[in-house]
Amino acid sequence: QGKRVTVEMLLNHTSGIKSYTDMEAFHSGMQRKDMKPEEIMAFFQDQPFDFEPGTAWRYNNSGYVLLGILIERVTGWSYAEYVEQEFFMQLGMKHSRYGSDEAIVAGRVSGYIPDGTDFQNAAYLSLSWPYAAGSLFSNVDDLHTWTRAVHAGKLVRAETLERAHISAKLPNGKDTRYGFGWSIGAVQGVP
């Protein structure tokens, strides 16, 4: 649409691109349909921007779809191949994988949502939709391996991780309280 959006804006949710999960059509049955990444991009690409790129913050799954497509174009691999080869296999994360509705996954747990004072099964969502915005399976042990690898500098350089942990600032000086994939704040007084 003639607007300049950077990779940094996609990473810190300041692009202004409409998130497909905020679109009425997505919640009217589209989430059940299997889609290719380019089809998901086509679903939101002509939507008006929520705001001018770089001027505000709004969590955005469409940005992660675009980042996944970018990874595919740069590496020549599918996003699934990339995360499995470059992360899970390299780190020995044996219980992590790219999401699939078809594969039998030992120990897979279904999702639940709150229903008043109880819970119910979460509605079906084709795992093609979360794509690079979250179509991953893992367990606590592998997530511990991941966290240790990130902080040991095995996945990104220390200076890149430091930038990821710094809240993006908007032109008006306001902190977004979000870095590159990390919410920035404190838990029980600890950053």
Side-chain angles (χ1 to χ4, degrees), residues 42-58:
F43 181 71
F44 65 79
Q45 73 184 12
D46 294 327
Q47 294 296 308
F49 277 62
D50 288 334
F51 49 84
E52 283 299 310
T55 64
W57 182 91
R58 186 170 186 175

Side-chain angles (χ1 to χ4, degrees), residues 32-49:
R32 300 181 72 83
K33 184 179 177 186
D34 292 338
M35 302 282 276
K36 293 179 179 158
E38 289 76 13
E39 293 172 316
I40 298 170
M41 182 174 64
F43 181 71
F44 65 79
Q45 73 184 12
D46 294 327
Q47 294 296 308
F49 277 62

